[in-house]
Amino acid sequence: MDPELIKDCVHCGFCLPTCPTYVLWGEEMDSPRGRIHLMGQHVEGTPLTDAMAGHFDACLGCMACVTACPSGVRYDRLIEQTRAVVEREHVRRPDERAIRALVFALFPYRRRLRAMRLPMRLSRRLQPFLEQVHPSLGAMAELAPDAPRPVRLPPLVRARRRRRARVGLLTGCVQGEFFPQVNAATARVLALEGCDVVIPPRQGCCGALSLHSGREAEARRFARRTIAVFERAGVDAVVVNAAGCGSSMKDYAEVLADEPGWAARARALRTRDLAEFLIELGPVAGRHPLPVTIAYHDACHLAHAQGVRAQPRELLRAIPGLELREIGESAVCCGSAGTYNLFQPEAARQLGDRKAERVLAAGADLLVSANPGCTMQIAASVRRAGKGEIRVAHTAEVLDASLRGLGSV
Amino acid sequence: MAARDVGDALEAAGVAVRAAGDGDEVAGVRPRWVALPESAEEIAAVMRVCAAHDLAAVATGGGTKLHWGAPPDRCDVLVDLCCMNRPPEHAAGDLVVRAQAGVTVEALARALAEGGQELALDVPVPGTTVGGLLATGIAGPRRFRHGTARDLLIGVTVVLADGTIAKSGGKVVKNVAGYDLGKLFTGSYGTLGIIADATFRLHPLPAARAWVTATVERPVTETYGTWTNEDGLTFETLTTDLAGSLATMVPAVTESPLEPSAVEMDWPDAEGPCTVAVLVEGAAAAERAKALCALIGGALSDAQVTEEPPPWWGRLPEPPAPDGPPGPLGAGTGAGDGDGGEILLEVRNVPSRLAGSFVGPLTAAREAGVHAAVRGSLASHVFHVALPPDTEPRRVAAFTGGLRAHMETDGDGRVVVLAAPQEAARRLDRWGHVGALPLMRRVKERFDPDRRLSPGRFLGGI
Amino acid sequence: MSELERLTERLTAALPPDAVLTDPVRLRTYECDGLTHHRATPGVVVLPETAEQVAAVVRLCGEHGVPFVARGSGTGLSGGALPRTDGVLIVTSRMRRILEIDIPNRRAVVEPGVTNLAITEAVRDRGYYYAPDPSSQQVCSIGGNVAENSGGAHCLKYGFTVNHVLSAEIVTPDGEIVELSAQDPGYDLLGAFIGSEGTLGIATKITVRLSRAPEVVTTLLAAFTGIEAGGRAVSAIIAAGVVPAAIEMMDALAIEAAEAAVHCRYPAGAGAVLVVELDGPHAEVEHQFAAVERICRDNGAFEIRVAASAEERAAIWKGRKSAFAAVGRISPAYIVQDGVVPRTALPRVLAGIDLLQEEYGIRVANVFHAGDGNLHPLVLFDDSVPGEAERAEAVSGRILDLCVEHGGSITGEHGVGVDKARYMPRMFTEDDLDTMQLVRCAFDPRGLANPGKVFPTPRLCGEVPGVRRGAHPLVEAGLAEQF
Ligand SMILES: Cc1cc2nc3c(=O)[nH]c(=O)nc-3n(C[C@H](O)[C@H](O)[C@@H](O)COP(=O)(O)OP(=O)(O)OC[C@H]3O[C@@H](n4cnc5c(N)ncnc54)[C@H](O)[C@@H]3O)c2cc1C
Ligand SMILES: Cc1cc2nc3c(=O)[nH]c(=O)nc-3n(C[C@H](O)[C@H](O)[C@H](O)COP(=O)(O)OP(=O)(O)OC[C@H]3O[C@@H](n4cnc5c(N)ncnc54)[C@H](O)[C@@H]3O)c2cc1C
Ligand code: SF4
Ligand code: SF4
């Protein structure tokens, strides 16, 4: 934990109201300002206590505090450093350790995830039982989406009409397995907008999960591999449609700061979120009307970590017939936050419920976001509230429907 | 101590004193001396003499309404502040003025107008002094836009019962250093200390003013009907309500983006018509008034724009003539055991209970068999109700009780009896229930432990 | 067992399970508010959820003779919420429900922990807002606003917290729940409570006035070569009889900081910028705007920008609103000062500040509410250079002296707290302060509510001789009733 970064915090509290854990519990220690203070205490020599580690673990890493901070405090760097310290110095309870091991053994690996699909569907029915064994297992089961039809994407999708760019597409582990239709839609949209889309078949996990959980070495390994894969693809930009992956790829240079060669290669890689990229590129394909009301949810890793808020809205608004509605407390996290709903199921559930309430209040036909974790989380909360199924989609799917003139999403 | 000694002591303190006469009575209590201090130090000297001799003092400014309110438990010295009237210090560039307590509001307004500014309070009683204005916390129509005395006061110098001179606030508009004693003294009726001088924030005189006036023939509608119960018996019913024109017009005007400065009404007899007047101020006043006129004209056909206020604007209501028929209270006409003094009530309310502000006085007046005149602010929902001066005391009490029953039911309405003859006042509670009274008593005990300042004149006998 | 420990046991029994914090690591996160150089770890922290719980805590404190301090969002800049190591810190951050929104009566009833901005957000759709707008409005609590009588850029026209609070339910220092209402006859205890910095009790429910959103808002940014020209323009605007909603000024150094932090793109080469906001009925604003624009040009404005949209207005304000925190980008450390001078004394006081900069070799960035003479000099220093912190502290103090000399105040909005208690005697005589203490003693005779704040020397509320404790003689005689 870099004392210089800690010192940047002037204790103004501007970050408090957007911090989900502060919103939930109203305690200083579970606010960004409080967590930075705890980091300061540790740097000054206070040993890492259970209480301290608990407050760091409770942080969703949503980075709403980074957006809110007028002093430019790099909380993102601070919490990553802190997580690494917690992993190194803190001894967790055995049951916590077991759950963490399970998650890290599964999620970053596609094949293992694929093998999980069937048991997960079964487990939905077992959820009450799993809940009793450990709330995290219950949460995992509750969230599991129905296993989709596998979609195989070709290594290259050619641009329609004149080619304007050659881009790489990161397919993501969770996205790729549970929401392959999103990747398909993304590739089509890019192609329709005049891009050759390279989809390297051998890409693995980008390292986001490991990075956000303080597993530094693992994160670095994934980062180096991803860089190498896309360098070989020879693309102008790497387009990412999963917010969490995009934010971690944009951080590669800092993750690899100790390895100057790799850091330079990371900087050379132009990583863009899909919406960000499409706005930079400018539209050429025609938009067909979509008569639908959409509530757009800001995924933290997009809105806060990458500062991409206006672009998706701009893209959606440009679709004729589409009405865009804002969700209350839009800056506050839905509680999904990567692995958060697995490790902190209680808090995640409360945040999910809070968000679901506001999403329902927006009264839209469709909930759209750029992160599968968020939509899974919110849909589960809506279900839990007994409000039936809420229809969800990724921004890419909505654009795809409009560009192809499907008339509905 | 003999009376002469006290007089000597006051004189020795360098303060002009005279023996009190008939005209110096405070609500019927005749003091023995009148002191005429010219500075805060001289007020302090008077208070020290009072402290040394256990004398009670009452402050007076213009003395315009000193007979209002409860009589003091005792009053030995009347501290007349009329001589504290040095020309006000007007700092036009800072939009503030400092004035001594004895300066009249009219003199102050003249001085300020020379600099193109004003104290944005409309004081209803001519001859009011700065001290009296603050001590009673009065305000007029424009309280809707600018608030009351407390909102415009930024600094004050006071003299306490033991002769301590203390100031709070200052001469800058923005200031949060220390407690705001000015607020505490505003509306304290001289029971905590004597105000020596005050500093106010000012406003530029508006470039233009315009009024929109209109008449409501029947502010309260009465609908007769019948109602049949399950046994087939039919009863006559009477529903009273606010006239639809008022009910829609008032919120439309107060919430209008045209931003009126005040919305007032005059209802000289609760059985008759009432006049509504709206004030607009600013360079574009005429234009805005026209737009408001159109807005009001929808509900009230005789709406018109005038450049002068209606004659009753910003004044307390005149009491109606006591010629009403005896009401349900039975025997006796108005002229009974009353002592001929003024009877004035203040009613506060909230916008959503506007109907109550009309139906309340009307019903209470009918039930008590009196005539009532109502005037006040439709925007701020503060009204004054006047009854004929010699209304029978029990009718005054019945009216007050009836009005309270109407207004205070849901916790938002308040009825305070500002002026009532002794005989009537004894039968009623002037102030109504105030939850914070014990805390107020504690404040009084700290400031004036020996109860030497206007004892008994304030609520709860403070 | 210490008194505090005994009290803590009873607090734990009286409050919900996780409402009492005793873990030292957790307690320390509450050691300061927005003014970080005053620190003290609270003896115990409680997080009540209801007025009854607050009252219970306060009563227990009374029984054990333990002091208590209220805290809202901890953004205060005078150390008002500085805890007591031997006391209880009562934090309202779990009391943040908006209890009622009553548009017809233009009011909202809220718990003290609700943030200032949350009220406006709850009523904006219906064309209303809560007028006082401290720069910290997204985070500071209404309870804190009431305690500090907070203002904002728009208080030039609309006034401060005290002008917008209709009533407050408070827990008195002896643990009673009392309603103070502007509607009630009697002493204006509400007016006295507002701005009392937590020394007269704890607000547990607040009814605020909602204001109607103006028909139009026009925001204009005028760039001047120097602060003098800007100051002249301000005086001329006031002299022309215009009362803008806000007039804010920033000097070159403050502009530089804001530029670094939020890229506000103020005109290049500006030695001072003036942000003037006019609001009201369309016809009036048009009139005033013409006057303001002309006055700015006449006084040497070399560039004037007018916000054409809500986004452009936000962009103009962004630079101003982020100025405090932004100074962190151009200086390792700084002190935010808060003083007031009569507006006409501004040029002299600013010249005085210039002299101080030279004398001490310390840079001062100026941001101020020019309309009402409220200065926020930001005194910059590098805490790693020996002696600089002390010199900055000295400059900061001398600025307050300048304010007092020119008939101003030592604080316009941040309050006295613990930081400025020692400056109070420069503004007030002993008699003035003793008189304020009378109010304190009426509310809190034992001095348990936020002791050590506001007043320089703690005084005991000695038994006042001659206080009548029995029934009033008139009541006894049946001549009056007490209600
Ligand atoms: C008890 C009472 C209640 C009133 N309430 C209202 C009201 O609610 N609304 C309204 O419109 N009018 C009210 N009035 C009328 C109001 O007093 C007159 O409108 C105004 O003319 C008073 O100014 P004055 O200078 O004539 O004061 P006076 O009539 O001389 O005194 C009025 C009151 O103020 C006190 N007072 C006067 N000067 C000072 C001073 N320098 N320091 C301390 N105390 C001082 C007196 O002791 C007295 O209680 C009230 C009057 C009284 C006596
Ligand atoms: C960047 C920044 C900008 C600021 N800008 C402004 C500005 O423009 N204008 C302005 O006026 N202030 C400003 N402030 C100061 C601060 O935000 C205000 O003073 C605010 O009102 C404090 O609210 P809080 O909830 O943080 O209170 P805290 O800091 O927690 O407490 C402040 C004081 O209030 C007391 N208190 C808190 N809650 C209660 C309660 N319920 N009952 C009784 N007492 C209570 C505390 O004991 C303490 O004395 C700014 C602060 C920062 C950091
Ligand atoms: S990252 Fe999110 S949860 Fe963590 S401190 Fe910042 S705002 Fe709170
Ligand atoms: S907003 Fe930034 S400077 Fe302010 S408390 Fe939060 S992290 Fe610290």
Side-chain angles (χ1 to χ4, degrees), chain B residues 264-268 273-277 312 317-318 373-376:
Chain B
E264 297 280 301
M265 67 97 158
D266 177 40
W267 196 20
C274 98
T275 314
V276 175
W312 51 267
E318 291 86 35
V374 186
R375 192 178 280 169

Side-chain angles (χ1 to χ4, degrees), chain B residues 254-276:
Chain B
T254 57
E255 308 308 279
S256 154
L258 293 162
E259 294 189 4
S261 293
V263 186
E264 297 280 301
M265 67 97 158
D266 177 40
W267 196 20
D269 183 339
E271 298 289 344
C274 98
T275 314
V276 175

Side-chain angles (χ1 to χ4, degrees), chain B residues 73 93-94 150-151 166-167 174-176 179 191 201 255 283-284 287-288 351-352 412 414 437 442 451, chain C residues 105-107 128 156 163 184 187-188 199 212 284 343-344 369 374 409 411 413 432 442 472 474 483:
Chain B
D73 298 348
D94 296 326
R150 88 195 267 270
D151 297 300
K167 64 182 182 344
K174 228 172 158 183
N175 179 8
V176 293
Y179 297 152
T191 59
R201 70 173 293 194
E255 308 308 279
E287 188 180 320
R288 285 156 61 206
S352 64
D412 281 321
R414 296 284 186 283
L437 182 57
R442 276 153 61 177
R451 300 178 47 79
Chain C
N105 290 322
R106 284 196 179 192
R107 62 186 178 184
Y128 290 81
L156 173 62
N163 309 112
D184 278 342
Y187 298 140
D188 184 2
T199 60
R212 187 83 174 89
E284 292 299 334
R343 196 188 31 255
T344 45
H369 306 300
N374 188 186
S409 168
T411 169
E413 49 185 29
D432 300 343
H472 189 269
L474 273 183
F483 301 97

Side-chain angles (χ1 to χ4, degrees), chain C residues 70 72-77 80 134-136 141 144-145 147-148 150-151 197-198 201 203 413:
Chain C
S73 303
T75 68
L77 290 172
S135 305
S136 51
S141 72
N145 287 180
E148 301 286 6
S150 297
E197 306 194 23
E413 49 185 29

Side-chain angles (χ1 to χ4, degrees), chain B residues 98-135:
Chain B
R98 177 163 179 224
Q100 281 193 303
V103 173
T104 64
V105 172
E106 290 87 345
L108 182 63
R110 275 194 303 274
L112 298 175
E114 282 171 25
Q117 296 177 352
E118 64 164 347
L119 174 59
L121 285 169
D122 313 286
V123 176
V125 182
T128 296
T129 59
V130 163
L133 144 78
L134 285 174

Side-chain angles (χ1 to χ4, degrees), chain B residues 26-27 43 57-70 78-81 84 100-105 122-140 143 157-159 185 188-197 314-316 344-346 348 382 384 416-419 430-431 453-454 457-458:
Chain B
V26 179
I43 302 175
V58 172
T60 179
T64 54
K65 299 288 183 208
L66 211 52
H67 56 287
W68 282 17
L78 186 67
V79 184
D80 188 338
L81 299 156
M84 304 239 336
Q100 281 193 303
V103 173
T104 64
V105 172
D122 313 286
V123 176
V125 182
T128 296
T129 59
V130 163
L133 144 78
L134 285 174
T136 55
I138 54 180
R143 70 163 79 215
T157 307
V158 293
V159 181
F185 274 77
S188 69
Y189 296 97
T191 59
L192 292 179
I194 297 181
I195 298 164
D197 66 55
R315 295 271 161 261
L316 296 170
L344 190 73
L345 291 80
E346 187 185 271
R348 287 163 191 259
V382 179
H384 286 104
V416 170
V417 180
L418 291 182
R430 283 178 189 266
W431 307 94
L453 283 166
S454 296
R457 291 209 88 191
F458 209 29

